[in-house]
Amino acid sequence: MQQEEYEAAIRDFSNVLQLNGDQEDIYLYRGVAYLRVNKGQKAYDDLSKHIELYGGKGKAYYYRAMASMALSDLQMALDDIDIALIYKPREAQYHQLKSRICIGQNLYQEALEAINAALQRTPGKISFLYDRIEIWLAMERTDFALRDINLIIRRSPRDGKAYNVRATIHFQAGDRDAACRDWGVAGSMGDESVLPLIQQFCDKRQTYTRNN
């Protein structure tokens, strides 16, 4: 859905509440719509109202955790996602959200445990692997980060972002030549963001291509 559609949905939900008073899930739905248009405080208020009126279950706490993240209240977000996981322990995206919250709090071991739980439920999901790479880099485990990015590249060999990320991992590990090769590949795939990096860190006399 586009932003205009979410804004129209918000108006519709507001009309329902005005005409008919409280109805189960209306505050929940409007809260989610507010999230989609980046109105974190309104989303938090509606989701809290839903939880107050109806007790809430996994979904309400999950979305309120997202609203708390938008408001930079990471401890509240962590408290809510832990409650959501009590209701829905098998939901991979709930574990992923917990991982993102923990990253924001520099709780990298907890973040790793959460993203591993997500990957156990959805093995090989690329977005989850990227999250785990971010954690490995924060923990300075470039060896495990390389393992995960190589898996992504094997599955998506035309993904320029993956080569850019692998270049970053090589650079953090101290292998500038490997980093430059991968920045070159990413650049050849149209990723212009790598050009300043090549200019700054790579030997300008060399041409970096996928075959290097």
Side-chain angles (χ1 to χ4, degrees):
M1 291 177 66
Q2 301 297 318
Q3 178 161 331
E4 295 81 2
E5 294 175 296
Y6 283 115
E7 289 173 346
I10 289 168
R11 291 193 294 271
D12 290 341
F13 293 139
S14 297
N15 289 335
V16 170
L17 287 168
Q18 186 174 5
L19 292 172
N20 300 318
D22 297 338
Q23 289 192 20
E24 189 168 359
D25 291 341
I26 296 298
Y27 282 110
L28 173 64
Y29 296 148
R30 192 173 69 173
V32 173
Y34 276 132
L35 269 178
R36 302 307 186 206
V37 295
N38 300 314
K39 294 183 178 179
Q41 187 61 60
K42 288 182 178 293
Y44 182 88
D45 292 344
D46 270 4
L47 294 162
S48 296
K49 187 68 173 178
H50 173 84
I51 291 168
E52 175 189 342
L53 291 173
Y54 306 109
K57 291 192 178 178
K59 186 180 293 186
Y61 285 102
Y62 170 74
Y63 284 116
R64 194 170 73 170
M66 293 178 67
S68 293
M69 283 190 73
L71 297 171
S72 300
D73 189 343
L74 296 181
Q75 187 55 55
M76 177 62 76
L78 186 58
D79 291 343
D80 275 348
I81 197 61
D82 280 338
I83 295 172
L85 282 165
I86 293 172
Y87 287 102
K88 299 281 188 177
R90 297 183 180 180
E91 292 289 342
Q93 68 266 29
Y94 287 23
H95 290 281
Q96 184 199 28
L97 181 59
K98 180 172 182 177
S99 177
R100 300 302 311 167
I101 295 166
C102 290
I103 289 171
Q105 293 184 304
N106 298 328
L107 301 173
Y108 298 120
Q109 186 59 46
E110 292 86 342
L112 181 61
E113 292 169 3
I115 201 62
N116 282 341
L119 281 162
Q120 286 175 359
R121 289 156 178 81
T122 313
K125 186 168 182 177
I126 287 178
S127 63
F128 292 177
L129 288 171
Y130 274 121
D131 283 349
R132 191 163 69 180
I133 289 166
E134 182 179 349
I135 298 166
W136 289 134
L137 290 176
M139 299 175 74
E140 300 183 351
R141 293 305 308 266
T142 53
D143 49 344
F144 288 117
L146 279 172
R147 180 194 64 186
D148 280 348
I149 197 61
N150 285 334
L151 176 60
I152 291 172
I153 289 172
R154 284 197 297 271
R155 293 182 59 187
S156 302
R158 299 300 303 171
D159 182 357
K161 173 187 174 181
Y163 289 96
N164 193 352
V165 170
R166 190 168 70 176
T168 301
I169 297 167
H170 283 310
F171 192 82
Q172 184 168 321
D175 190 343
R176 182 176 296 192
D177 286 342
C180 289
R181 284 194 296 271
D182 277 339
W183 279 325
V185 174
S188 73
M189 292 179 175
D191 186 349
E192 295 183 357
S193 70
V194 304
L195 298 181
L197 298 169
I198 292 173
Q199 291 173 354
Q200 182 176 0
F201 297 112
C202 302
D203 188 340
K204 298 178 178 60
R205 295 171 299 174
Q206 296 186 39
T207 301
Y208 294 96
T209 68
R210 191 172 178 179
N211 295 324
N212 278 355

